[in-house]
Amino acid sequence: MDYKLPLLIYDDQCPLCVRFKQGLERLDLNHIITYVPLSSESVFTQFTKLDPQACRTKVHFLRTDGVVVTGQEVVVEVIKIIPGVGKLAWLLETEVGKSASSYFLDHVENLRKKLQEKDKSCGTCR
């Protein structure tokens, strides 16, 4: 399969990851982003710079220029490219925005750890 950039790789076995992807799809009305589940191994054949093991530990996003972005930086990148939402991207670049983003993502990480304890089948929660 030939994937189009930008591309978001998410763990389709992790409920938190699936909800994140579903939320983005609701904002991405123009279908700008290609959403690829981690279980689609063909993405690793097409984009050899992606490490499957690393993708299991953090969300990965490939920008249109081929640059790989991971973790909390993905949120900033996605916000920049979705029309309407992108106009608010400057808020994340302020110190208050960075602090709020960090706080939110820290809580998401804690939730992922709790999911890991409850469900060992969750790939990115390991």
Side-chain angles (χ1 to χ4, degrees):
M1 179 170 214
D2 202 23
Y3 298 102
K4 181 183 158 198
L5 297 178
L7 179 128
L8 179 92
I9 300 174
Y10 70 98
D11 186 347
D12 53 333
Q13 299 301 309
C14 171
L16 188 61
C17 300
V18 171
R19 295 288 293 216
F20 176 67
K21 184 250 283 177
Q22 289 170 340
L24 288 177
E25 285 178 319
R26 288 188 179 116
L27 296 172
D28 187 12
L29 301 177
N30 296 322
H31 309 291
I32 297 168
I33 301 169
T34 303
Y35 301 92
V36 180
L38 186 59
S39 59
S40 294
E41 295 185 22
S42 59
V43 71
F44 301 109
T45 303
Q46 183 176 344
F47 300 102
T48 55
K49 66 171 81 176
L50 289 174
D51 175 15
Q53 187 59 35
C55 290
R56 286 182 187 89
T57 61
K58 282 187 179 179
V59 63
H60 278 59
F61 182 77
L62 273 77
R63 299 186 328 199
T64 54
D65 61 3
V67 171
V68 178
V69 179
T70 64
Q72 86 179 54
E73 293 177 26
V74 171
V75 175
V76 176
E77 288 296 321
V78 168
I79 285 175
K80 287 179 184 177
I81 64 169
I82 294 179
V85 182
K87 293 177 183 176
L88 302 173
W90 66 271
L91 290 170
L92 292 177
E93 295 170 1
T94 66
E95 287 306 313
V96 173
K98 288 177 186 175
S99 177
S101 173
S102 179
Y103 177 81
F104 171 76
L105 292 167
D106 286 344
H107 282 285
V108 169
E109 271 305 307
N110 288 333
L111 182 56
R112 286 177 63 209
K113 288 177 186 176
K114 288 178 184 178
L115 282 172
Q116 174 187 5
E117 293 168 6
K118 287 184 178 183
D119 185 1
K120 298 296 182 187
S121 69
C122 181
T124 57
C125 296
R126 286 184 215 144

